[in-house]
Amino acid sequence: MSLTRRQFGRQFGCAFCGLAAALLAGSLAAQAPASGRTFLVPGYRPAPASDEKGLWSLMDRVEQELKLSRFVVRDPTLNAYVRDIMCRLAKDHCPDVRTYIVRTAQFNASMAPNGMMEVWTGLLLRCGDEAQLAAILGHEMGHYLRSHTVERWRDARNKSDFGTFLGLGLAVAGLGAFGSLAQLALVASSYGFSRDQEREADEIGLELMSKAGYPPVAAAEVWEQLIDEYKAGTAERARQLLFATHPEPEERMGALREAAAKAGGDAGERGHERYLEKLAGVRAQLVGDELALRQYGRSELVFERLLVRWPDDGQLWFAKGEVYRLRGEDGDAARALASYARALETKNAPPETLRGTMLIELKSGARDRAQAAFEAYLKAKPDAADADALRMLLSQ
Amino acid sequence: MIRLCVCVVAALALAGCAPLVLVQPERQTVGGVISVQPGIKWNKLTMSGYRGNVEVWTLDGPGLNTLLFFTGVPDGEPLFTRATGAAQQEKPAVFRSAMNPVEVQELLEATMARNFQTTIAEARNLKPAPVANGQGFRFETRLVGRDEVERDGVFAGTIRNGKLYGAWFQGAKLHYFKRYLPEFDQMVASAQLVGDAAR
Amino acid sequence: MTCLEHRRGRASRALVIIVAFGLSAVLAGCAAPVQRQTPELRREAGRIPRIVVMPLDVELSQLTAGGLEEPHAEWTDAALKHMRTALDDEAKVRKVTLVDFQSERGSPEDRETSLDLVKLHRAVGSAVMLHQYMGFTLPSKDGKFDWSLGPAVAAIARSHDADYALFLFVRDSYATAGRVAVIVVGALLGAGIPGGAQVGFASVVDLKTGDIVWFNRLLRPQGDLRTPDAAAETVKALVADSFQ
């Protein structure tokens, strides 16, 4: 890790261009009203010694740390894919943006003022196709292009209200006493935008999407799915978190649907098959991460919804089976077996489907069927690391 | 500047508690149910942040290694919980008396993921093992928390009379786990169930 | 012990945070600031000790009127620069060679191990602070200082051809004008309001064994780390007699 943290992020293709852009941005900012109606110029840099420069440098340091994080997904195919979509949306701003995929089983994407974009794997799991992913990336670009985070940050400082800015970050990040305060700013930057700011980001996102050839209606779909999912969770706090950070989601969804219809509706490329293909390397991990949270209602909804789009996906049927097996309530054993059986009818059932089957059969006392499933599991996965463990269960 | 030694521990001592209590290398009864013979001195945490049927010991501080005793987790309870400061959705996954060792292994995985807010939490290499004069099981864990430090771990336990008894030793993979693994192994070898657990 | 068992973990963590950041009085010393295992660096066969300067873990923040810490990039950058310069000056005086840690050096495994060691040191340093200086004593240690990063440090020794590694950790916050006003008013009303805290330590690790052979805690007041002089003084105080 370099000691010179004073990094401006990337090479200037043209030093004069960078300077000119900064000056231009500066003068535009001077003209603009406080609502932040300026559109960020490609290659923009904040003026040195400005407060924005401070925030920028902070984000640069966060990015340096992020690069070294264990939680960053480094799958080259997936990274190239996400970067590609980002670039098509960002157009002239493409060189200013860097994408990072972070392994967290929650739905989130955020973009820092210095062009660093973070996409969480929980979001990648939930997107039904490329267009939906593009919708989210476009929305974040909207916040970035209108400097909403800088706006909010300035606002918070003026009102001595930095606590609100960081408070949400604290709630979500939960860092230890000796952690990095800088990281909080990044997490916080994805929450708490005003209704106007969210609407602006939505509008810009829709425009970027349709220009890049995606159906704008995908944006409304994403939001609808998100609302459904939070409703499926019974925890009151979950609902509050969403609604605290996104004012009046249902109203927003309605507005989004209208705007999407005006912007081109469902005309455009979905990227349905391509999305699945590009995620192939990480999908099993994403499914496992979601299951590990043991939020059965939410997970069931997510997998069912994905199955509507990909009805013959063995991995999704397996995932659904696992939800039931792990939940273990009345009737779940039968539900799990049904899902596993359905998975086995497809072309891509993971071998673990047989493991799940074995465990369920064993629990119901059907030893012979459990034995058969175990043998089939070993056949499908001869190097199964848990073979001994399962054999132990059968012998008891 | 007043240079008083305003030690937090002094204040706590006034309140009648110390955050870390010495555990001598002689036979100990943990939670009234697990009897073990440590080979070296340990430290017991009185405010560990772990809640449930657990007791927590450490050698170099909980940031570097922890030994969690499960002192009879009953049906319907989680293995443990921690106040993590994050918005928790849904109730935690719970132990069931009818669980088999594979399910206990999966449960600890989920418990780690939830309580340490991480996706990098694995349990593997489940094997049968003698525990407390009876049949038990043992498996390894791997965890990377938000502090980005990788931690190796080992769990040894058994289910008796519908409750889970066991011990889970975890330490930073670099140095702090391997160094004390032999001590953990010999403690497990020495373990007996006593009191209510022995009935 | 039943008295605190029902306390929420959040409270004990908050306690640690308060201790770490809010109460400068607590940092005023429950234990000697400098701990060492071995008094001198090895100077075998006339070889000048090579010390790897690990990435300086420094963060300066602003304490706002509302009592919150806002990370301040410019101050941090300035402090880092000044401290690095001061380290070089110290090294010249004490006849050691300083080498910057470079994450790209060494084999892929060594690189990864080195990175893990940096992360481990944060945890170890925090543990030393907590258990040696902040009163959460580990009775099993019997007053011994036996903290270590373990033998994996050989990765750093190899990739940088070095004998020791130096780690520096500083978190410091400075009151804004608004905050100072709050403190003054508070004092008038008889309430003690924390003005911002400095937490810092330096450690020297023997790359043969991984043992921390020297550890020093920063004592307040060291002055304003945003200025070159105070930064230099801080570094001097931190490394005072480590490079012998």
Side-chain angles (χ1 to χ4, degrees):
Chain A
M1 207 187 324
S2 168
L3 285 176
T4 54
R5 306 237 180 144
R6 184 178 285 281
Q7 284 192 39
F8 291 95
R10 58 226 136 253
Q11 319 297 335
F12 281 97
C14 157
F16 177 75
C17 297
L19 182 63
L23 287 174
L24 188 63
S27 66
L28 280 175
Q31 289 166 18
S35 67
R37 293 235 158 252
T38 54
F39 219 97
L40 210 62
V41 176
Y44 170 78
R45 298 286 177 278
S50 66
D51 62 348
E52 194 187 333
K53 171 72 176 63
L55 182 61
W56 190 285
S57 297
L58 194 67
M59 292 306 177
D60 280 348
R61 280 192 18 247
V62 171
E63 189 170 349
Q64 292 313 309
E65 277 182 48
L66 184 63
K67 278 190 185 147
L68 303 170
S69 169
R70 292 239 180 188
F71 294 94
V72 165
V73 175
R74 305 195 192 261
D75 181 296
T77 307
L78 184 60
N79 274 282
Y81 179 56
V82 174
R83 200 165 45 238
D84 211 51
I85 300 170
M86 191 71 228
C87 268
R88 267 186 288 132
L89 293 163
K91 289 202 177 7
D92 291 343
H93 292 268
C94 172
D96 294 337
V97 178
R98 300 162 302 286
T99 52
Y100 297 88
I101 301 169
V102 175
R103 193 178 162 188
T104 306
Q106 304 291 346
F107 184 99
N108 190 37
S110 55
M111 193 155 175
N114 70 340
M116 164 180 56
M117 156 89 85
E118 223 183 271
V119 179
W120 291 5
T121 51
L123 187 153
L124 292 177
L125 175 68
R126 282 158 174 76
C127 284
D129 53 42
E130 187 175 309
Q132 288 189 357
L133 176 59
I136 296 152
L137 298 180
H139 175 91
E140 289 307 316
M141 275 297 299
H143 284 310
Y144 168 73
L145 291 170
R146 287 275 197 246
S147 306
H148 285 162
T149 300
V150 179
E151 219 172 64
R152 274 187 57 234
W153 179 72
R154 271 200 189 115
D155 208 39
R157 291 171 94 230
N158 288 341
K159 292 179 185 167
S160 298
D161 203 12
F162 205 69
T164 318
F165 187 82
L166 278 188
L168 289 167
L170 275 165
V172 175
L175 293 174
F178 290 90
S180 167
L181 286 169
Q183 287 171 354
L184 293 179
L186 176 63
V187 182
S189 69
S190 61
Y191 292 116
F193 291 112
S194 71
R195 279 165 67 178
D196 281 343
Q197 287 172 328
E198 291 290 10
R199 204 191 47 241
E200 249 190 348
D202 283 339
E203 280 165 11
I204 296 170
L206 289 175
E207 202 182 307
L208 295 177
M209 275 180 82
S210 75
K211 280 199 182 129
Y214 294 109
V217 73
E221 285 166 9
V222 173
W223 201 233
E224 193 173 44
Q225 284 161 194
L226 202 54
I227 292 174
D228 282 347
E229 193 181 318
Y230 276 101
K231 281 182 175 167
T234 53
E236 194 51 47
R237 277 175 88 182
R239 272 195 292 277
Q240 281 170 8
L241 180 66
L242 176 71
F243 298 160
T245 55
H246 295 90
E248 282 159 56
E250 262 123 342
E251 181 198 302
R252 189 171 154 210
M253 182 184 67
L256 204 49
R257 273 214 178 271
E258 257 183 63
K262 283 191 203 129
D266 59 5
E269 218 193 286
R270 283 279 175 179
H272 184 86
E273 292 309 320
R274 187 167 54 233
Y275 188 73
L276 195 57
E277 194 190 295
K278 299 290 182 178
L279 249 71
V282 300
R283 234 299 204 77
Q285 193 184 78
L286 267 43
V287 163
D289 290 349
E290 171 66 24
L291 289 168
L293 291 183
R294 303 291 185 106
Q295 293 181 29
Y296 310 114
R298 176 184 114 156
S299 301
E300 187 185 9
L301 188 73
V302 168
F303 296 132
E304 274 174 357
R305 198 181 62 224
L306 292 172
L307 277 167
V308 168
R309 288 187 173 262
W310 292 294
D312 288 308
D313 190 314
Q315 199 177 65
L316 292 172
W317 281 111
F318 160 69
K320 193 155 180 268
E322 288 287 89
V323 173
Y324 298 131
R325 179 176 72 80
L326 294 169
R327 188 171 68 186
E329 283 170 9
D330 286 342
D332 277 343
R335 287 183 198 105
L337 284 178
S339 295
Y340 293 143
R342 184 70 184 80
L344 291 167
E345 288 167 10
T346 69
K347 292 197 203 89
N348 67 333
E352 287 72 20
T353 313
L354 294 156
R355 172 189 184 268
T357 306
M358 179 214 146
L359 290 169
I360 296 276
E361 299 286 23
L362 195 62
K363 258 209 138 50
S364 350
R367 283 204 161 261
D368 290 343
R369 284 205 289 270
Q371 181 74 38
F374 175 60
E375 279 159 22
Y377 175 52
L378 282 189
K379 198 149 166 233
K381 194 175 179 186
D383 60 346
D386 60 348
D388 286 337
L390 297 174
R391 202 171 281 119
M392 170 181 106
L393 289 189
L394 282 171
S395 69
Q396 280 168 357
Chain B
M1 226 7 89
I2 301 165
R3 298 233 169 200
L4 279 177
C5 181
V6 184
C7 291
V8 172
V9 74
L12 289 170
L14 287 172
C17 350
L20 292 151
V21 173
L22 179 64
V23 178
Q24 295 285 9
E26 47 199 39
R27 194 149 273 276
Q28 304 283 342
T29 303
V30 182
V33 289
I34 300 177
S35 169
V36 284
Q37 166 82 63
I40 57 178
K41 288 182 186 172
W42 283 79
N43 306 282
K44 178 174 121 165
L45 273 90
T46 56
M47 1 179 260
S48 63
Y50 288 80
R51 282 147 60 206
N53 301 87
V54 288
E55 186 172 300
V56 188
W57 294 7
T58 183
L59 288 161
D60 297 290
L64 297 172
N65 44 40
T66 54
L67 174 57
L68 223 76
F69 290 98
F70 296 96
T71 54
V73 182
D75 185 291
E77 290 282 311
L79 291 179
F80 61 84
T81 55
R82 292 174 79 217
T84 53
Q88 288 294 355
Q89 305 166 327
E90 303 284 349
K91 299 187 299 290
V94 300
F95 170 71
R96 296 257 170 244
S97 302
M99 274 185 170
N100 59 47
V102 167
E103 290 170 310
V104 173
Q105 185 183 258
E106 286 177 333
L107 179 61
L108 186 55
E109 255 183 6
T111 308
M112 285 193 284
R114 179 193 172 93
N115 286 282
F116 297 94
Q117 291 161 264
T118 178
T119 43
I120 308 178
E122 297 159 18
R124 65 206 158 192
N125 273 341
L126 174 65
K127 288 177 169 42
V131 174
N133 302 330
Q135 187 60 280
F137 53 94
R138 187 180 163 113
F139 57 83
E140 289 151 25
T141 63
R142 178 179 166 251
L143 170 70
V144 178
R146 286 285 135 194
D147 59 0
E148 305 258 343
V149 172
E150 185 169 344
R151 292 175 168 80
D152 281 343
V154 57
F155 172 93
T158 182
I159 301 174
R160 297 276 168 88
N161 301 327
K163 290 188 181 176
L164 179 73
Y165 300 92
W168 177 39
F169 175 62
Q170 216 193 176
K173 179 189 171 121
L174 290 174
H175 187 61
Y176 287 92
F177 174 72
K178 255 192 287 241
R179 188 179 184 194
Y180 301 110
L181 189 53
E183 163 67 6
F184 174 76
D185 286 339
Q186 78 87 25
M187 258 209 281
V188 170
S190 78
Q192 282 156 31
L193 291 181
V194 298
D196 287 338
R199 292 191 221 299
Chain C
M1 290 288 124
T2 55
C3 61
L4 287 171
E5 260 162 25
H6 56 279
R7 272 216 194 163
R8 307 197 158 253
R10 193 191 294 264
S12 69
R13 199 164 69 90
L15 189 67
V16 172
I17 292 169
I18 289 166
V19 166
F21 289 112
L23 299 173
S24 39
V26 176
L27 298 178
C30 306
V34 182
Q35 304 270 357
R36 298 190 228 204
Q37 285 184 312
T38 50
E40 282 166 19
L41 304 180
R42 287 189 305 278
R43 289 178 188 269
E44 289 152 3
R47 174 181 157 98
I48 296 173
R50 272 170 72 87
I51 305 182
V52 184
V53 179
M54 302 306 285
L56 300 182
D57 195 345
V58 173
E59 202 165 273
L60 266 50
S61 56
Q62 191 167 57
L63 191 61
T64 65
L68 278 143
E69 312 215 351
E70 191 187 299
H72 199 291
E74 247 176 74
W75 294 347
T76 300
D77 289 346
L80 281 166
K81 202 173 69 170
H82 299 318
M83 291 174 91
R84 190 66 185 86
T85 308
L87 275 174
D88 284 330
D89 293 339
E90 287 300 308
K92 280 198 203 90
V93 169
R94 298 169 194 285
K95 300 198 182 46
V96 296
T97 309
L98 293 184
V99 181
D100 276 330
F101 175 75
Q102 280 166 345
S103 55
E104 321 86 54
R105 280 172 86 150
S107 67
E109 303 90 60
D110 280 354
R111 282 204 297 269
E112 205 177 305
T113 305
S114 299
L115 187 56
D116 287 343
L117 285 164
V118 170
K119 292 171 180 171
L120 178 67
H121 184 269
R122 263 195 194 148
V124 174
S126 305
V128 175
M129 286 297 278
L130 203 57
H131 301 295
Q132 295 279 151
Y133 299 115
M134 289 182 179
F136 291 86
T137 322
L138 292 163
S140 71
K141 294 250 180 214
D142 277 331
K144 246 188 332 162
F145 188 99
D146 64 349
W147 304 91
S148 182
L149 297 186
V153 293
I156 301 174
R158 265 194 302 270
S159 57
H160 290 73
D161 183 29
D163 309 300
Y164 296 91
L166 170 69
F167 293 84
L168 229 63
F169 176 98
V170 176
R171 296 283 185 273
D172 201 355
S173 68
Y174 296 89
T176 55
R179 180 68 182 177
V180 169
V182 167
I183 294 168
V184 167
V185 169
L188 290 173
L189 296 175
I193 301 198
Q198 243 176 26
V199 177
F201 59 79
S203 72
V204 174
V205 174
D206 184 341
L207 293 178
K208 268 212 175 98
T209 59
D211 295 341
I212 296 181
V213 296
W214 186 89
F215 190 96
N216 190 13
R217 176 174 61 115
L218 189 65
L219 284 173
R220 255 213 132 158
Q222 288 299 326
D224 192 329
L225 289 174
R226 298 169 293 181
T227 62
D229 289 339
E233 279 309 308
T234 303
V235 164
K236 260 214 212 106
L238 278 176
V239 302
D241 31 17
S242 68
F243 302 162
Q244 298 287 23

